[in-house]
Amino acid sequence: ILNVEQSPQSLHVQEGDSTNFTCSFPSSNFYALHWYRWETAKSPEALFVMTLNGDEKKKGRISATLNTKEGYSYLYIKGSQPEDSATYLCAFGSGFGNEKLTFGTGTRLTIIP
Amino acid sequence: DVKVTQSSRYLVKRTGEKVFLECVQDMDHENMFWYRQDPGLGLRLIYFSYDVKMKEKGDIPEGYSVSREKKERFSLILESASTNQTSMYLCASRNRDRGRTGELFFGEGSRLTVL
């Protein structure tokens, strides 16, 4: 079983502040790295799917970077808003074996108004 | 609006009961997945299906079976529910053509409590 780790486990951020968190994954046999946002009582929704080393993706105030050689991805949120409160999940797709994704345990973000 | 629908949001069952969790997607996706989510453990894959009547075990298939008779429907079956199967169950689907680069579309989850 592949090891995908996210840190921190939880985070409280003041509204308006910026924040970031980390996803660590195996640096060998990389194929894809996904980020999902999971709000309470809703479905997890995809934020980004990243495949290339050095890739940077942006959606509004949220952005992500990818380093496949060292096995990490950062998710950044600029100017946090209450609607950003959610659990953020990353998922690693290996180039070896079948096409399943391995998820991290998530970072639970709470924005304090 | 694309949708993955899980039949029940909350279920309470007794130990030994047979439990069916149903999932339907309207995106014509070939791939469908069942995960369970437990505190501190993240999403763990139970079973997945590449296409109708095809299934593969995930990381934690013990105590579960699945059925995929139609493309849009993927059912998770607990033959004899046990208390350690109390969990949140999430169904997801994906376009097969995109493989591991294809985003997963999730249902809202089914929270199962086994007494």
Side-chain angles (χ1 to χ4, degrees), chain B residues 28-74:
Chain B
D28 202 36
H29 286 166
E30 293 82 5
N31 294 170
M32 295 188 75
F33 306 81
W34 275 106
Y35 291 89
R36 63 178 281 178
Q37 193 265 341
D38 300 288
L41 294 178
L43 293 179
R44 292 181 292 165
L45 182 64
I46 304 171
Y47 266 98
F48 61 106
S49 170
Y50 283 120
D51 211 329
V52 176
K53 296 191 187 295
M54 297 175 70
K55 60 186 179 185
E56 277 202 35
K57 294 179 180 179
D59 297 320
I60 50 165
E62 297 78 19
Y64 302 94
S65 62
V66 289
S67 173
R68 183 101 182 266
E69 295 296 318
K70 292 185 177 182
K71 191 175 186 180
E72 67 270 19
R73 188 179 297 268
F74 192 33

mmCIF file of all heavy atoms in Angstrom, chain B residues 28-74:
data_model
loop_
_atom_site.group_PDB
_atom_site.id
_atom_site.type_symbol
_atom_site.label_atom_id
_atom_site.label_comp_id
_atom_site.label_asym_id
_atom_site.label_seq_id
_atom_site.Cartn_x
_atom_site.Cartn_y
_atom_site.Cartn_z
ATOM 1 N N ASP B 28 -22.465 8.437 -17.889
ATOM 2 C CA ASP B 28 -22.030 7.382 -18.806
ATOM 3 C C ASP B 28 -20.570 6.966 -18.564
ATOM 4 O O ASP B 28 -19.855 6.592 -19.502
ATOM 5 C CB ASP B 28 -22.218 7.815 -20.273
ATOM 6 C CG ASP B 28 -22.298 6.628 -21.226
ATOM 7 O OD1 ASP B 28 -22.868 5.589 -20.842
ATOM 8 O OD2 ASP B 28 -21.782 6.735 -22.358
ATOM 9 N N HIS B 29 -20.142 7.049 -17.305
ATOM 10 C CA HIS B 29 -18.772 6.672 -16.969
ATOM 11 C C HIS B 29 -18.620 5.160 -16.894
ATOM 12 O O HIS B 29 -19.487 4.475 -16.344
ATOM 13 C CB HIS B 29 -18.368 7.286 -15.621
ATOM 14 C CG HIS B 29 -18.103 8.746 -15.702
ATOM 15 N ND1 HIS B 29 -18.008 9.547 -14.578
ATOM 16 C CD2 HIS B 29 -17.876 9.567 -16.755
ATOM 17 C CE1 HIS B 29 -17.742 10.790 -14.942
ATOM 18 N NE2 HIS B 29 -17.667 10.822 -16.262
ATOM 19 N N GLU B 30 -17.474 4.675 -17.391
ATOM 20 C CA GLU B 30 -17.218 3.243 -17.310
ATOM 21 C C GLU B 30 -16.731 2.832 -15.914
ATOM 22 O O GLU B 30 -17.047 1.776 -15.417
ATOM 23 C CB GLU B 30 -16.159 2.831 -18.337
ATOM 24 C CG GLU B 30 -16.588 2.963 -19.782
ATOM 25 C CD GLU B 30 -16.448 4.375 -20.323
ATOM 26 O OE1 GLU B 30 -15.918 5.256 -19.605
ATOM 27 O OE2 GLU B 30 -16.867 4.619 -21.466
ATOM 28 N N ASN B 31 -15.892 3.680 -15.325
ATOM 29 C CA ASN B 31 -15.259 3.338 -14.046
ATOM 30 C C ASN B 31 -16.112 3.806 -12.872
ATOM 31 O O ASN B 31 -16.567 4.951 -12.843
ATOM 32 C CB ASN B 31 -13.886 4.013 -13.914
ATOM 33 C CG ASN B 31 -12.863 3.522 -14.911
ATOM 34 O OD1 ASN B 31 -11.799 4.111 -15.025
ATOM 35 N ND2 ASN B 31 -13.160 2.447 -15.619
ATOM 36 N N MET B 32 -16.289 2.924 -11.897
ATOM 37 C CA MET B 32 -16.978 3.294 -10.669
ATOM 38 C C MET B 32 -16.239 2.687 -9.485
ATOM 39 O O MET B 32 -15.598 1.637 -9.603
ATOM 40 C CB MET B 32 -18.448 2.847 -10.691
ATOM 41 C CG MET B 32 -19.258 3.563 -11.771
ATOM 42 S SD MET B 32 -21.018 3.245 -11.698
ATOM 43 C CE MET B 32 -21.510 4.248 -10.273
ATOM 44 N N PHE B 33 -16.342 3.365 -8.338
ATOM 45 C CA PHE B 33 -15.531 3.031 -7.170
ATOM 46 C C PHE B 33 -16.389 3.106 -5.897
ATOM 47 O O PHE B 33 -17.289 3.929 -5.801
ATOM 48 C CB PHE B 33 -14.390 4.047 -7.005
ATOM 49 C CG PHE B 33 -13.522 4.216 -8.214
ATOM 50 C CD1 PHE B 33 -13.913 5.035 -9.270
ATOM 51 C CD2 PHE B 33 -12.304 3.568 -8.303
ATOM 52 C CE1 PHE B 33 -13.114 5.197 -10.388
ATOM 53 C CE2 PHE B 33 -11.490 3.722 -9.414
ATOM 54 C CZ PHE B 33 -11.897 4.537 -10.458
ATOM 55 N N TRP B 34 -16.035 2.266 -4.930
ATOM 56 C CA TRP B 34 -16.562 2.398 -3.583
ATOM 57 C C TRP B 34 -15.399 2.592 -2.608
ATOM 58 O O TRP B 34 -14.448 1.810 -2.600
ATOM 59 C CB TRP B 34 -17.352 1.161 -3.156
ATOM 60 C CG TRP B 34 -18.779 1.187 -3.589
ATOM 61 C CD1 TRP B 34 -19.355 0.469 -4.580
ATOM 62 C CD2 TRP B 34 -19.823 1.986 -3.018
ATOM 63 N NE1 TRP B 34 -20.681 0.774 -4.676
ATOM 64 C CE2 TRP B 34 -20.999 1.695 -3.734
ATOM 65 C CE3 TRP B 34 -19.881 2.920 -1.973
ATOM 66 C CZ2 TRP B 34 -22.223 2.295 -3.439
ATOM 67 C CZ3 TRP B 34 -21.086 3.513 -1.681
ATOM 68 C CH2 TRP B 34 -22.245 3.208 -2.407
ATOM 69 N N TYR B 35 -15.504 3.659 -1.817
ATOM 70 C CA TYR B 35 -14.530 3.967 -0.781
ATOM 71 C C TYR B 35 -15.251 3.985 0.577
ATOM 72 O O TYR B 35 -16.442 4.224 0.648
ATOM 73 C CB TYR B 35 -13.928 5.357 -0.978
ATOM 74 C CG TYR B 35 -13.029 5.531 -2.170
ATOM 75 C CD1 TYR B 35 -13.529 5.904 -3.408
ATOM 76 C CD2 TYR B 35 -11.655 5.341 -2.041
ATOM 77 C CE1 TYR B 35 -12.693 6.083 -4.500
ATOM 78 C CE2 TYR B 35 -10.810 5.525 -3.132
ATOM 79 C CZ TYR B 35 -11.341 5.894 -4.357
ATOM 80 O OH TYR B 35 -10.504 6.074 -5.423
ATOM 81 N N ARG B 36 -14.454 3.788 1.632
ATOM 82 C CA ARG B 36 -14.953 4.108 2.955
ATOM 83 C C ARG B 36 -14.013 5.115 3.597
ATOM 84 O O ARG B 36 -12.800 5.117 3.312
ATOM 85 C CB ARG B 36 -15.152 2.885 3.858
ATOM 86 C CG ARG B 36 -13.949 2.084 4.212
ATOM 87 C CD ARG B 36 -14.292 0.927 5.148
ATOM 88 N NE ARG B 36 -14.460 1.344 6.539
ATOM 89 C CZ ARG B 36 -14.789 0.531 7.535
ATOM 90 N NH1 ARG B 36 -15.004 -0.761 7.302
ATOM 91 N NH2 ARG B 36 -14.910 0.982 8.770
ATOM 92 N N GLN B 37 -14.609 5.988 4.410
ATOM 93 C CA GLN B 37 -13.827 7.031 5.046
ATOM 94 C C GLN B 37 -13.982 6.914 6.543
ATOM 95 O O GLN B 37 -15.107 6.942 7.067
ATOM 96 C CB GLN B 37 -14.289 8.406 4.565
ATOM 97 C CG GLN B 37 -13.350 9.545 4.920
ATOM 98 C CD GLN B 37 -13.730 10.273 6.191
ATOM 99 O OE1 GLN B 37 -14.860 10.171 6.641
ATOM 100 N NE2 GLN B 37 -12.803 11.001 6.752
ATOM 101 N N ASP B 38 -12.872 6.777 7.236
ATOM 102 C CA ASP B 38 -12.853 6.683 8.696
ATOM 103 C C ASP B 38 -11.897 7.735 9.239
ATOM 104 O O ASP B 38 -10.876 8.030 8.606
ATOM 105 C CB ASP B 38 -12.412 5.288 9.136
ATOM 106 C CG ASP B 38 -13.343 4.204 8.621
ATOM 107 O OD1 ASP B 38 -14.465 4.127 9.145
ATOM 108 O OD2 ASP B 38 -12.955 3.462 7.700
ATOM 109 N N PRO B 39 -12.199 8.274 10.396
ATOM 110 C CA PRO B 39 -11.340 9.327 10.973
ATOM 111 C C PRO B 39 -9.886 8.874 11.073
ATOM 112 O O PRO B 39 -9.597 7.770 11.552
ATOM 113 C CB PRO B 39 -11.948 9.545 12.363
ATOM 114 C CG PRO B 39 -13.370 9.127 12.220
ATOM 115 C CD PRO B 39 -13.366 7.992 11.248
ATOM 116 N N GLY B 40 -8.993 9.719 10.584
ATOM 117 C CA GLY B 40 -7.563 9.437 10.694
ATOM 118 C C GLY B 40 -7.032 8.454 9.666
ATOM 119 O O GLY B 40 -5.823 8.198 9.618
ATOM 120 N N LEU B 41 -7.910 7.905 8.837
ATOM 121 C CA LEU B 41 -7.464 6.900 7.851
ATOM 122 C C LEU B 41 -7.661 7.346 6.414
ATOM 123 O O LEU B 41 -7.205 6.681 5.504
ATOM 124 C CB LEU B 41 -8.204 5.580 8.078
ATOM 125 C CG LEU B 41 -7.900 4.862 9.384
ATOM 126 C CD1 LEU B 41 -8.735 3.601 9.508
ATOM 127 C CD2 LEU B 41 -6.413 4.504 9.465
ATOM 128 N N GLY B 42 -8.353 8.417 6.175
ATOM 129 C CA GLY B 42 -8.564 8.843 4.803
ATOM 130 C C GLY B 42 -9.508 7.924 4.052
ATOM 131 O O GLY B 42 -10.094 6.988 4.603
ATOM 132 N N LEU B 43 -9.619 8.171 2.765
ATOM 133 C CA LEU B 43 -10.471 7.344 1.914
ATOM 134 C C LEU B 43 -9.727 6.067 1.537
ATOM 135 O O LEU B 43 -8.613 6.126 1.007
ATOM 136 C CB LEU B 43 -10.840 8.092 0.629
ATOM 137 C CG LEU B 43 -11.738 9.313 0.753
ATOM 138 C CD1 LEU B 43 -11.973 9.916 -0.619
ATOM 139 C CD2 LEU B 43 -13.045 8.922 1.384
ATOM 140 N N ARG B 44 -10.369 4.933 1.776
ATOM 141 C CA ARG B 44 -9.754 3.655 1.413
ATOM 142 C C ARG B 44 -10.648 2.940 0.411
ATOM 143 O O ARG B 44 -11.860 2.863 0.599
ATOM 144 C CB ARG B 44 -9.549 2.782 2.658
ATOM 145 C CG ARG B 44 -8.505 3.331 3.629
ATOM 146 C CD ARG B 44 -8.334 2.419 4.816
ATOM 147 N NE ARG B 44 -9.520 2.409 5.663
ATOM 148 C CZ ARG B 44 -9.758 1.504 6.600
ATOM 149 N NH1 ARG B 44 -8.897 0.530 6.820
ATOM 150 N NH2 ARG B 44 -10.844 1.589 7.348
ATOM 151 N N LEU B 45 -10.014 2.406 -0.631
ATOM 152 C CA LEU B 45 -10.754 1.796 -1.724
ATOM 153 C C LEU B 45 -11.197 0.388 -1.361
ATOM 154 O O LEU B 45 -10.379 -0.461 -0.994
ATOM 155 C CB LEU B 45 -9.881 1.774 -2.976
ATOM 156 C CG LEU B 45 -10.525 1.218 -4.237
ATOM 157 C CD1 LEU B 45 -11.700 2.092 -4.684
ATOM 158 C CD2 LEU B 45 -9.484 1.131 -5.357
ATOM 159 N N ILE B 46 -12.487 0.124 -1.525
ATOM 160 C CA ILE B 46 -13.038 -1.196 -1.213
ATOM 161 C C ILE B 46 -13.062 -2.049 -2.487
ATOM 162 O O ILE B 46 -12.495 -3.138 -2.537
ATOM 163 C CB ILE B 46 -14.463 -1.073 -0.636
ATOM 164 C CG1 ILE B 46 -14.473 -0.153 0.589
ATOM 165 C CG2 ILE B 46 -14.997 -2.461 -0.259
ATOM 166 C CD1 ILE B 46 -15.871 0.201 1.078
ATOM 167 N N TYR B 47 -13.739 -1.568 -3.491
ATOM 168 C CA TYR B 47 -13.843 -2.246 -4.787
ATOM 169 C C TYR B 47 -13.950 -1.201 -5.880
ATOM 170 O O TYR B 47 -14.406 -0.081 -5.646
ATOM 171 C CB TYR B 47 -15.115 -3.114 -4.847
ATOM 172 C CG TYR B 47 -14.951 -4.557 -4.472
ATOM 173 C CD1 TYR B 47 -15.265 -4.995 -3.194
ATOM 174 C CD2 TYR B 47 -14.512 -5.490 -5.408
ATOM 175 C CE1 TYR B 47 -15.133 -6.326 -2.840
ATOM 176 C CE2 TYR B 47 -14.377 -6.828 -5.061
ATOM 177 C CZ TYR B 47 -14.688 -7.239 -3.778
ATOM 178 O OH TYR B 47 -14.552 -8.560 -3.432
ATOM 179 N N PHE B 48 -13.541 -1.587 -7.077
ATOM 180 C CA PHE B 48 -13.833 -0.745 -8.219
ATOM 181 C C PHE B 48 -14.221 -1.599 -9.416
ATOM 182 O O PHE B 48 -13.987 -2.815 -9.434
ATOM 183 C CB PHE B 48 -12.699 0.228 -8.536
ATOM 184 C CG PHE B 48 -11.388 -0.401 -8.883
ATOM 185 C CD1 PHE B 48 -10.937 -0.414 -10.185
ATOM 186 C CD2 PHE B 48 -10.568 -0.929 -7.887
ATOM 187 C CE1 PHE B 48 -9.709 -0.950 -10.498
ATOM 188 C CE2 PHE B 48 -9.334 -1.465 -8.200
ATOM 189 C CZ PHE B 48 -8.910 -1.485 -9.511
ATOM 190 N N SER B 49 -14.828 -0.922 -10.379
ATOM 191 C CA SER B 49 -15.337 -1.611 -11.555
ATOM 192 C C SER B 49 -14.932 -0.840 -12.796
ATOM 193 O O SER B 49 -15.160 0.367 -12.893
ATOM 194 C CB SER B 49 -16.860 -1.710 -11.483
ATOM 195 O OG SER B 49 -17.396 -2.161 -12.706
ATOM 196 N N TYR B 50 -14.311 -1.552 -13.741
ATOM 197 C CA TYR B 50 -13.909 -0.904 -14.987
ATOM 198 C C TYR B 50 -15.063 -0.765 -15.966
ATOM 199 O O TYR B 50 -15.066 0.118 -16.808
ATOM 200 C CB TYR B 50 -12.801 -1.709 -15.669
ATOM 201 C CG TYR B 50 -11.454 -1.529 -15.039
ATOM 202 C CD1 TYR B 50 -10.767 -2.621 -14.517
ATOM 203 C CD2 TYR B 50 -10.848 -0.284 -14.967
ATOM 204 C CE1 TYR B 50 -9.515 -2.467 -13.944
ATOM 205 C CE2 TYR B 50 -9.602 -0.118 -14.400
ATOM 206 C CZ TYR B 50 -8.933 -1.210 -13.894
ATOM 207 O OH TYR B 50 -7.705 -1.055 -13.323
ATOM 208 N N ASP B 51 -16.014 -1.683 -15.854
ATOM 209 C CA ASP B 51 -17.129 -1.657 -16.800
ATOM 210 C C ASP B 51 -18.186 -2.625 -16.297
ATOM 211 O O ASP B 51 -17.992 -3.309 -15.274
ATOM 212 C CB ASP B 51 -16.644 -2.033 -18.198
ATOM 213 C CG ASP B 51 -17.459 -1.348 -19.304
ATOM 214 O OD1 ASP B 51 -18.662 -1.099 -19.083
ATOM 215 O OD2 ASP B 51 -16.899 -1.081 -20.374
ATOM 216 N N VAL B 52 -19.264 -2.734 -17.040
ATOM 217 C CA VAL B 52 -20.355 -3.608 -16.616
ATOM 218 C C VAL B 52 -19.838 -5.020 -16.388
ATOM 219 O O VAL B 52 -19.055 -5.546 -17.181
ATOM 220 C CB VAL B 52 -21.464 -3.611 -17.689
ATOM 221 C CG1 VAL B 52 -22.572 -4.580 -17.319
ATOM 222 C CG2 VAL B 52 -22.026 -2.217 -17.869
ATOM 223 N N LYS B 53 -20.254 -5.608 -15.283
ATOM 224 C CA LYS B 53 -19.922 -6.969 -14.877
ATOM 225 C C LYS B 53 -18.442 -7.167 -14.586
ATOM 226 O O LYS B 53 -18.005 -8.290 -14.362
ATOM 227 C CB LYS B 53 -20.391 -7.997 -15.929
ATOM 228 C CG LYS B 53 -21.903 -8.028 -16.090
ATOM 229 C CD LYS B 53 -22.353 -9.223 -16.916
ATOM 230 C CE LYS B 53 -23.837 -9.162 -17.216
ATOM 231 N NZ LYS B 53 -24.669 -9.262 -15.995
ATOM 232 N N MET B 54 -17.660 -6.109 -14.563
ATOM 233 C CA MET B 54 -16.242 -6.227 -14.236
ATOM 234 C C MET B 54 -15.990 -5.579 -12.883
ATOM 235 O O MET B 54 -16.529 -4.508 -12.585
ATOM 236 C CB MET B 54 -15.387 -5.557 -15.309
ATOM 237 C CG MET B 54 -15.524 -6.217 -16.669
ATOM 238 S SD MET B 54 -14.626 -5.339 -17.933
ATOM 239 C CE MET B 54 -12.946 -5.688 -17.443
ATOM 240 N N LYS B 55 -15.163 -6.242 -12.071
ATOM 241 C CA LYS B 55 -14.866 -5.704 -10.753
ATOM 242 C C LYS B 55 -13.465 -6.117 -10.353
ATOM 243 O O LYS B 55 -12.954 -7.157 -10.782
ATOM 244 C CB LYS B 55 -15.879 -6.210 -9.723
ATOM 245 C CG LYS B 55 -15.900 -7.715 -9.586
ATOM 246 C CD LYS B 55 -17.008 -8.170 -8.662
ATOM 247 C CE LYS B 55 -17.032 -9.695 -8.560
ATOM 248 N NZ LYS B 55 -18.171 -10.193 -7.753
ATOM 249 N N GLU B 56 -12.867 -5.280 -9.516
ATOM 250 C CA GLU B 56 -11.558 -5.612 -8.954
ATOM 251 C C GLU B 56 -11.537 -5.212 -7.492
ATOM 252 O O GLU B 56 -12.127 -4.193 -7.109
ATOM 253 C CB GLU B 56 -10.436 -4.864 -9.687
ATOM 254 C CG GLU B 56 -9.991 -5.536 -10.947
ATOM 255 C CD GLU B 56 -8.599 -5.108 -11.362
ATOM 256 O OE1 GLU B 56 -7.743 -4.872 -10.487
ATOM 257 O OE2 GLU B 56 -8.377 -5.007 -12.571
ATOM 258 N N LYS B 57 -10.841 -5.999 -6.704
ATOM 259 C CA LYS B 57 -10.702 -5.690 -5.285
ATOM 260 C C LYS B 57 -9.810 -4.469 -5.103
ATOM 261 O O LYS B 57 -8.822 -4.293 -5.811
ATOM 262 C CB LYS B 57 -10.112 -6.880 -4.538
ATOM 263 C CG LYS B 57 -11.014 -8.097 -4.512
ATOM 264 C CD LYS B 57 -10.368 -9.242 -3.770
ATOM 265 C CE LYS B 57 -11.286 -10.449 -3.750
ATOM 266 N NZ LYS B 57 -10.666 -11.598 -3.045
ATOM 267 N N GLY B 58 -10.188 -3.656 -4.129
ATOM 268 C CA GLY B 58 -9.350 -2.540 -3.738
ATOM 269 C C GLY B 58 -8.454 -2.951 -2.586
ATOM 270 O O GLY B 58 -8.011 -4.089 -2.497
ATOM 271 N N ASP B 59 -8.217 -2.035 -1.675
ATOM 272 C CA ASP B 59 -7.302 -2.294 -0.562
ATOM 273 C C ASP B 59 -7.956 -3.019 0.608
ATOM 274 O O ASP B 59 -7.276 -3.687 1.378
ATOM 275 C CB ASP B 59 -6.719 -0.961 -0.062
ATOM 276 C CG ASP B 59 -5.888 -0.271 -1.133
ATOM 277 O OD1 ASP B 59 -5.153 -0.983 -1.851
ATOM 278 O OD2 ASP B 59 -5.987 0.959 -1.262
ATOM 279 N N ILE B 60 -9.276 -2.874 0.757
ATOM 280 C CA ILE B 60 -9.948 -3.458 1.924
ATOM 281 C C ILE B 60 -11.248 -4.147 1.507
ATOM 282 O O ILE B 60 -12.332 -3.789 1.946
ATOM 283 C CB ILE B 60 -10.234 -2.389 3.007
ATOM 284 C CG1 ILE B 60 -10.926 -1.157 2.398
ATOM 285 C CG2 ILE B 60 -8.942 -1.979 3.711
ATOM 286 C CD1 ILE B 60 -11.550 -0.253 3.434
ATOM 287 N N PRO B 61 -11.194 -5.198 0.685
ATOM 288 C CA PRO B 61 -12.425 -5.813 0.186
ATOM 289 C C PRO B 61 -13.102 -6.797 1.140
ATOM 290 O O PRO B 61 -14.245 -7.200 0.909
ATOM 291 C CB PRO B 61 -11.927 -6.562 -1.054
ATOM 292 C CG PRO B 61 -10.524 -6.934 -0.698
ATOM 293 C CD PRO B 61 -9.987 -5.786 0.130
ATOM 294 N N GLU B 62 -12.401 -7.176 2.216
ATOM 295 C CA GLU B 62 -12.924 -8.228 3.094
ATOM 296 C C GLU B 62 -14.255 -7.805 3.710
ATOM 297 O O GLU B 62 -14.376 -6.714 4.272
ATOM 298 C CB GLU B 62 -11.915 -8.554 4.197
ATOM 299 C CG GLU B 62 -10.588 -9.114 3.710
ATOM 300 C CD GLU B 62 -9.648 -8.053 3.151
ATOM 301 O OE1 GLU B 62 -9.836 -6.851 3.447
ATOM 302 O OE2 GLU B 62 -8.730 -8.430 2.399
ATOM 303 N N GLY B 63 -15.232 -8.673 3.621
ATOM 304 C CA GLY B 63 -16.544 -8.401 4.198
ATOM 305 C C GLY B 63 -17.498 -7.688 3.254
ATOM 306 O O GLY B 63 -18.644 -7.426 3.628
ATOM 307 N N TYR B 64 -17.026 -7.410 2.043
ATOM 308 C CA TYR B 64 -17.840 -6.688 1.060
ATOM 309 C C TYR B 64 -17.893 -7.456 -0.257
ATOM 310 O O TYR B 64 -16.987 -8.222 -0.572
ATOM 311 C CB TYR B 64 -17.241 -5.304 0.764
ATOM 312 C CG TYR B 64 -17.073 -4.404 1.954
ATOM 313 C CD1 TYR B 64 -15.854 -4.368 2.636
ATOM 314 C CD2 TYR B 64 -18.117 -3.609 2.396
ATOM 315 C CE1 TYR B 64 -15.681 -3.544 3.731
ATOM 316 C CE2 TYR B 64 -17.952 -2.774 3.489
ATOM 317 C CZ TYR B 64 -16.733 -2.750 4.158
ATOM 318 O OH TYR B 64 -16.568 -1.937 5.250
ATOM 319 N N SER B 65 -18.951 -7.229 -1.006
ATOM 320 C CA SER B 65 -19.009 -7.655 -2.398
ATOM 321 C C SER B 65 -19.685 -6.527 -3.182
ATOM 322 O O SER B 65 -20.209 -5.578 -2.586
ATOM 323 C CB SER B 65 -19.776 -8.971 -2.555
ATOM 324 O OG SER B 65 -21.121 -8.814 -2.127
ATOM 325 N N VAL B 66 -19.616 -6.624 -4.511
ATOM 326 C CA VAL B 66 -20.196 -5.573 -5.346
ATOM 327 C C VAL B 66 -20.937 -6.203 -6.518
ATOM 328 O O VAL B 66 -20.745 -7.362 -6.847
ATOM 329 C CB VAL B 66 -19.120 -4.597 -5.900
ATOM 330 C CG1 VAL B 66 -18.557 -3.727 -4.787
ATOM 331 C CG2 VAL B 66 -18.028 -5.360 -6.622
ATOM 332 N N SER B 67 -21.758 -5.370 -7.134
ATOM 333 C CA SER B 67 -22.509 -5.803 -8.309
ATOM 334 C C SER B 67 -22.568 -4.649 -9.292
ATOM 335 O O SER B 67 -22.876 -3.513 -8.909
ATOM 336 C CB SER B 67 -23.925 -6.214 -7.894
ATOM 337 O OG SER B 67 -24.722 -6.475 -9.036
ATOM 338 N N ARG B 68 -22.273 -4.961 -10.570
ATOM 339 C CA ARG B 68 -22.380 -3.927 -11.622
ATOM 340 C C ARG B 68 -23.086 -4.575 -12.813
ATOM 341 O O ARG B 68 -22.455 -5.073 -13.735
ATOM 342 C CB ARG B 68 -20.980 -3.441 -12.013
ATOM 343 C CG ARG B 68 -21.005 -2.305 -13.060
ATOM 344 C CD ARG B 68 -20.800 -0.981 -12.459
ATOM 345 N NE ARG B 68 -20.854 0.104 -13.414
ATOM 346 C CZ ARG B 68 -19.777 0.623 -14.022
ATOM 347 N NH1 ARG B 68 -18.575 0.123 -13.797
ATOM 348 N NH2 ARG B 68 -19.919 1.638 -14.850
ATOM 349 N N GLU B 69 -24.401 -4.589 -12.788
ATOM 350 C CA GLU B 69 -25.204 -5.200 -13.849
ATOM 351 C C GLU B 69 -25.522 -4.207 -14.951
ATOM 352 O O GLU B 69 -25.764 -4.590 -16.102
ATOM 353 C CB GLU B 69 -26.498 -5.771 -13.263
ATOM 354 C CG GLU B 69 -26.274 -6.916 -12.289
ATOM 355 C CD GLU B 69 -25.644 -8.122 -12.969
ATOM 356 O OE1 GLU B 69 -26.051 -8.464 -14.092
ATOM 357 O OE2 GLU B 69 -24.718 -8.724 -12.363
ATOM 358 N N LYS B 70 -25.556 -2.926 -14.605
ATOM 359 C CA LYS B 70 -25.795 -1.872 -15.593
ATOM 360 C C LYS B 70 -24.698 -0.823 -15.457
ATOM 361 O O LYS B 70 -24.155 -0.615 -14.366
ATOM 362 C CB LYS B 70 -27.168 -1.230 -15.374
ATOM 363 C CG LYS B 70 -28.330 -2.149 -15.666
ATOM 364 C CD LYS B 70 -29.647 -1.405 -15.558
ATOM 365 C CE LYS B 70 -30.806 -2.318 -15.929
ATOM 366 N NZ LYS B 70 -32.101 -1.611 -15.869
ATOM 367 N N LYS B 71 -24.423 -0.152 -16.535
ATOM 368 C CA LYS B 71 -23.309 0.784 -16.552
ATOM 369 C C LYS B 71 -23.479 1.891 -15.521
ATOM 370 O O LYS B 71 -22.511 2.338 -14.900
ATOM 371 C CB LYS B 71 -23.187 1.399 -17.950
ATOM 372 C CG LYS B 71 -21.911 2.190 -18.178
ATOM 373 C CD LYS B 71 -21.847 2.642 -19.623
ATOM 374 C CE LYS B 71 -20.516 3.311 -19.915
ATOM 375 N NZ LYS B 71 -20.447 3.760 -21.335
ATOM 376 N N GLU B 72 -24.693 2.347 -15.318
ATOM 377 C CA GLU B 72 -24.903 3.501 -14.462
ATOM 378 C C GLU B 72 -24.989 3.148 -12.980
ATOM 379 O O GLU B 72 -24.984 4.038 -12.140
ATOM 380 C CB GLU B 72 -26.189 4.239 -14.872
ATOM 381 C CG GLU B 72 -27.480 3.463 -14.639
ATOM 382 C CD GLU B 72 -27.876 2.625 -15.837
ATOM 383 O OE1 GLU B 72 -27.005 2.355 -16.698
ATOM 384 O OE2 GLU B 72 -29.067 2.245 -15.901
ATOM 385 N N ARG B 73 -25.034 1.878 -12.632
ATOM 386 C CA ARG B 73 -25.317 1.490 -11.252
ATOM 387 C C ARG B 73 -24.242 0.567 -10.699
ATOM 388 O O ARG B 73 -23.870 -0.428 -11.330
ATOM 389 C CB ARG B 73 -26.672 0.780 -11.196
ATOM 390 C CG ARG B 73 -27.189 0.480 -9.805
ATOM 391 C CD ARG B 73 -28.547 -0.202 -9.891
ATOM 392 N NE ARG B 73 -29.539 0.661 -10.507
ATOM 393 C CZ ARG B 73 -30.339 1.486 -9.843
ATOM 394 N NH1 ARG B 73 -30.261 1.552 -8.518
ATOM 395 N NH2 ARG B 73 -31.213 2.225 -10.484
ATOM 396 N N PHE B 74 -23.764 0.894 -9.500
ATOM 397 C CA PHE B 74 -22.732 0.094 -8.835
ATOM 398 C C PHE B 74 -23.167 -0.087 -7.392
ATOM 399 O O PHE B 74 -23.335 0.895 -6.667
ATOM 400 C CB PHE B 74 -21.394 0.838 -8.918
ATOM 401 C CG PHE B 74 -20.191 0.034 -8.527
ATOM 402 C CD1 PHE B 74 -20.108 -1.333 -8.763
ATOM 403 C CD2 PHE B 74 -19.085 0.660 -7.950
ATOM 404 C CE1 PHE B 74 -18.967 -2.049 -8.428
ATOM 405 C CE2 PHE B 74 -17.936 -0.048 -7.613
ATOM 406 C CZ PHE B 74 -17.887 -1.407 -7.856
#
